[in-house]
Amino acid sequence: MPELPEVETTLRGLEPHCLNRSIIQIDINQPKLRWPIPPQIQLLKNARITAMQRRAKYLIMSTDKGHMIWHLGMSGSMRLLPNQDPGVKHEHVKITFENKTSLRYRDPRRFGALLLTHDDPLLHPLISPLGPEPLSEDFHADYLWQQCKNRKTAIKNVIMHSHIVVGVGNIYACESLFMSGINPKTSALRISRKRIQALVEAIKMVLQQAIEQGGTTLKDFTQSDGKPGYFTQSLKVYANAQNCVQCGHAIKRITQGQRTTYYCPSCQH
DNA sequence: AAAGACACCTGTCCGC
DNA sequence: TGCGGACAGGTGTCTT
């Protein structure tokens, strides 16, 4: 489900309500996520939330007793509800605060994760090898150009690889390639420096706009207040259009790396 | 070192 | 109404 804008939207929605809250109870209804939730998570009882941040698609909640590292996988979402609210199916984790609200983690497919670390969370083995944040200055045309120039694989696979750049999932990969007029199948090393520049700008623009509109709701993503993301209506190619909004040509649907790609064969070369 | 396949899991939708 | 199959927003790990 969630790509970078959806995780960022979740963070921004939760942070004002979670910061400085004290945890009085942790209920694990289903520990079997991508990795089992460590039982030591209970050590965070009576801890206070001191900071929240996003790195790639990981959401990091720091406390005075350790750091929670969350991932939403394909179908995860987080909400705050009144403590007595029964919630819905697949709410695997409930973290109750002293003010009678509780954080609910819901993830029907259970590809997500909740991990615990006492070290610097950015040095965690899942996080330290990650590439630059796409919206940071570290992600620029020279960098992506260097990453592309020796790679024969299709450009879409390159921008979706988290060790190259994080946060670009299937939707926004398709959208940014459309915006920059690049065919997703094009071998990375065959793309000019100038077009790589256009791609970098498109990735930044698409992600930034999606964040501003609260992410994309295809099926069941909701912001932490329960509202859908409004970027859905801005999608140009992904699962939306039969025909290209620019030229009217039929949108083509192919498979790359076991993921569905949508593109316009007329506008994207 | 790079690239591709596979695994994990549930829900939904479509055709018969 | 039921059943089978395809498909879904991710990514670590294993195999070529």
Side-chain angles (χ1 to χ4, degrees):
Chain A
M1 172 207 288
E3 302 188 31
L4 184 148
E6 290 72 39
V7 181
E8 182 68 24
T9 295
T10 299
L11 170 68
R12 292 183 185 186
L14 292 179
E15 185 172 18
H17 305 285
C18 293
L19 219 49
N20 294 316
R21 294 270 79 84
S22 293
I23 296 170
I24 61 170
Q25 191 171 334
I26 300 172
D27 295 299
I28 308 297
N29 302 317
Q30 169 58 278
K32 292 180 182 174
L33 301 183
R34 182 163 196 196
W35 297 279
I37 297 174
Q40 301 91 306
I41 202 82
Q42 293 296 341
L43 293 172
L44 299 184
K45 199 171 169 181
N46 299 320
R48 187 177 59 90
I49 310 289
T50 55
M52 292 175 63
Q53 63 178 314
R54 178 191 59 73
R55 172 73 173 103
K57 297 172 190 167
Y58 293 95
L59 202 155
I60 301 166
M61 288 181 81
S62 297
T63 78
D64 47 0
K65 295 187 176 182
H67 311 271
M68 288 180 271
I69 300 175
W70 301 84
H71 198 287
L72 301 179
M74 285 280 261
S75 58
S77 59
M78 296 171 95
R79 290 190 68 179
L80 277 163
L81 290 174
N83 196 21
Q84 69 277 15
D85 190 307
V88 292
K89 201 177 175 186
H90 300 301
E91 276 184 6
H92 307 316
V93 182
K94 178 183 181 187
I95 294 186
T96 305
F97 298 120
E98 89 290 355
N99 68 345
K100 296 181 177 166
T101 64
S102 49
L103 176 67
R104 317 295 178 96
Y105 174 82
R106 175 174 191 261
D107 184 9
R109 291 180 73 180
R110 291 194 270 124
F111 289 171
L114 169 56
L115 300 172
L116 175 68
T117 182
H118 295 285
D119 304 322
D120 182 348
L122 299 182
L123 300 180
H124 189 277
L126 289 176
I127 294 180
S128 65
L130 294 172
E133 287 288 325
L135 295 175
S136 75
E137 291 179 0
D138 294 340
F139 182 62
H140 49 69
D142 280 328
Y143 169 79
L144 187 58
W145 167 249
Q146 287 296 320
Q147 292 296 320
C148 284
K149 71 177 189 183
N150 292 319
R151 289 176 203 265
K152 204 180 166 188
T153 192
I155 185 64
K156 187 192 178 216
N157 297 338
V158 172
I159 61 174
M160 287 185 69
H161 189 135
S162 64
H163 290 11
I164 296 175
V165 58
V166 301
V168 184
N170 202 34
I171 296 178
Y172 301 113
C174 291
E175 292 297 314
S176 55
L177 286 163
F178 176 80
M179 186 181 285
S180 52
I182 297 170
N183 187 310
K185 292 185 293 186
T186 307
S187 176
L189 50 70
R190 290 185 44 244
I191 303 176
S192 70
R193 162 65 215 266
K194 190 176 175 183
R195 303 186 78 209
I196 290 289
Q197 169 91 46
L199 178 56
V200 166
E201 289 169 8
I203 289 170
K204 289 175 185 282
M205 189 171 300
V206 166
L207 293 176
Q208 190 59 51
Q209 288 179 356
I211 290 170
E212 286 164 10
Q213 294 175 50
T216 296
T217 297
L218 284 184
K219 287 184 67 179
D220 53 5
F221 172 76
T222 59
Q223 305 185 47
S224 60
D225 59 4
K227 291 180 188 156
Y230 299 110
F231 193 69
T232 317
Q233 56 213 53
S234 303
L235 298 176
K236 296 290 189 291
V237 286
Y238 189 91
N240 238 357
Q242 300 291 313
N243 297 96
C244 176
V245 294
Q246 288 178 13
C247 76
H249 195 287
I251 295 297
K252 205 165 176 185
R253 177 196 160 116
I254 61 171
T255 299
Q256 290 182 287
Q258 293 119 241
R259 309 301 298 278
T260 302
T261 300
Y262 298 87
Y263 74 104
C264 173
S266 170
C267 294
Q268 295 175 255
H269 297 283

